[in-house]
Amino acid sequence: MLARGISVVCLDNLLTGSTRTIAHLLPRNDFTFLKRDLTGPVQVQGPVGHVFHLASAASPADYLRWPIQTLEVGSQGTRNALELAQRKGARFVLASTSEVYGDPLEHPQRESYWGNVNPVGPRSVYDEAKRYAEALTSAFRHARGLDTGIVRIFNTYGPRMRPDDGRAIPTFLRQALRNEPVTVTGDGSQTRSICHVDDTVRGIVGLALSAHAGPMNIGSPYEISMLDLARLAIRLTGSRSAIRFVERPVDDPRVRRPDTTLAREALGWAPAVSVEGGLRSTIAWFVRELALTRSA
């Protein structure tokens, strides 16, 4: 957005983040960071054209650590962000997730699929928070006429992730770079579709600048098993790591791959970053991050 000449105000309570990831933006006059909890009152000075609601713990390790906060930011936080957009006459964009599909009985997953979600399982704090956020966003659109868009994001990775994030790619790369055993859950046959952050951002911005209401899948149709992803991480890092199998989490989805026909037809969007190219840029980031951790 800054590259398009649009000023940005960023609100974050830093529950899972750090200002180090935006340090290069802080000196700019067109970027403002406000440490705010979205579940409290939200005020932003001046005109606002778009409100992007991306606030949530996204890693299972994080939302299992902070279950109440995850539910609150998906409910009251979404309400506050919607009210802000309403007051400002802004277009509202909700970052939803492929997790609304749960452990899917349809493969690949189209936007019309309602999902297979356990409402009381350990992952429900994230899954149901996002499903509620979609319902609330739709209610504001239909009852109040708010201009809204919903994007369902699939497994994004790339630079600026935390080494201790807990998701598969940060975990595999951290372990491989340290020559530690790479831990694969279950037998590793479960699949994910991984999409580089550059492609994900292009899709989100494309939806924001369109008039489409969504929901719209943004993710890569490239599907890979967790075992093959672990092997790829070891190969690309030149690691001496071995693979170690550990217990698979409860309600861990067996498959995950988006049908991106809608994004292609409505936005002309398709992922452009290759898997190896994306992983190599991510590895370079983790090499620097882990070096900083050792020197701290």
Side-chain angles (χ1 to χ4, degrees):
M1 305 310 285
L2 294 171
R4 293 170 179 265
I6 300 170
S7 297
V8 173
V9 179
C10 173
L11 288 75
D12 198 322
N13 68 355
L14 301 179
L15 182 68
T16 63
S18 167
T19 54
R20 284 204 308 112
T21 59
I22 55 170
H24 60 298
L25 302 176
L26 293 175
R28 297 181 61 134
N29 293 327
D30 54 357
F31 180 83
T32 303
F33 172 73
L34 303 174
K35 187 176 180 181
R36 297 284 189 277
D37 188 328
L38 197 61
T39 60
V42 177
Q43 298 292 335
V44 174
Q45 300 300 315
V48 175
H50 290 81
V51 173
F52 293 84
H53 177 27
L54 302 109
S56 180
S59 161
D62 286 339
Y63 61 69
L64 292 176
R65 188 179 299 121
W66 292 294
I68 305 301
Q69 293 91 329
T70 301
L71 284 162
E72 287 178 340
V73 78
S75 52
Q76 187 58 48
T78 301
R79 177 65 182 264
N80 290 342
L82 283 161
E83 296 282 6
L84 174 65
Q86 186 92 65
R87 292 196 303 272
K88 298 291 186 177
R91 176 163 165 79
F92 177 85
V93 179
L94 173 68
S96 188
T97 172
S98 61
E99 291 295 325
V100 300
Y101 299 123
D103 189 4
L105 303 179
E106 173 182 294
H107 192 65
Q109 294 82 58
R110 296 169 294 180
E111 291 86 353
S112 58
Y113 177 53
W114 292 355
N116 178 40
V117 175
N118 178 0
V120 295
R123 300 173 72 100
S124 64
V125 296
Y126 184 67
D127 302 354
E128 298 293 8
K130 290 295 188 179
R131 287 162 69 93
Y132 174 82
E134 286 197 14
L136 189 60
T137 298
S138 299
F140 265 72
R141 182 178 184 87
H142 298 306
R144 295 195 179 181
L146 184 63
D147 183 11
T148 64
I150 298 171
V151 57
R152 289 176 178 164
I153 300 170
F154 282 67
N155 296 93
T156 299
Y157 73 97
R160 297 196 176 90
M161 297 185 88
R162 297 180 355 242
D164 64 348
D165 173 280
R167 282 173 283 190
I169 288 178
T171 300
F172 290 170
L173 294 184
R174 185 191 75 245
Q175 292 169 335
L177 287 167
R178 290 175 171 170
N179 294 306
E180 299 170 351
V182 173
T183 51
V184 175
T185 63
D187 63 2
S189 63
Q190 65 273 29
T191 67
R192 297 294 183 270
S193 296
I194 59 174
C195 189
H196 191 268
V197 63
D198 288 357
D199 286 329
T200 298
V201 169
R202 277 195 307 106
I204 296 171
V205 173
L207 177 63
L209 298 180
S210 76
H212 205 288
M216 183 180 292
N217 290 337
I218 293 293
S220 171
Y222 175 79
E223 187 177 11
I224 186 171
S225 74
M226 290 298 94
L227 180 56
D228 285 342
L229 181 60
R231 289 168 173 161
L232 184 58
I234 292 170
R235 177 171 68 82
L236 293 180
T237 56
S239 176
R240 300 187 303 276
S241 294
I243 290 174
R244 179 164 61 91
F245 294 96
V246 297
E247 187 176 357
R248 190 172 162 195
V250 176
D251 294 337
D252 184 44
R254 294 168 293 107
V255 291
R256 181 76 83 228
R257 176 160 57 94
D259 183 323
T260 56
T261 302
L262 180 60
R264 184 178 68 250
E265 293 179 348
L267 306 179
W269 179 89
V273 179
S274 70
V275 172
E276 286 209 9
L279 285 173
R280 289 186 188 280
S281 73
T282 309
I283 290 167
W285 165 262
F286 276 103
V287 167
R288 293 192 295 271
E289 282 294 286
L290 293 174
L292 288 172
T293 302
R294 284 194 299 268
S295 62

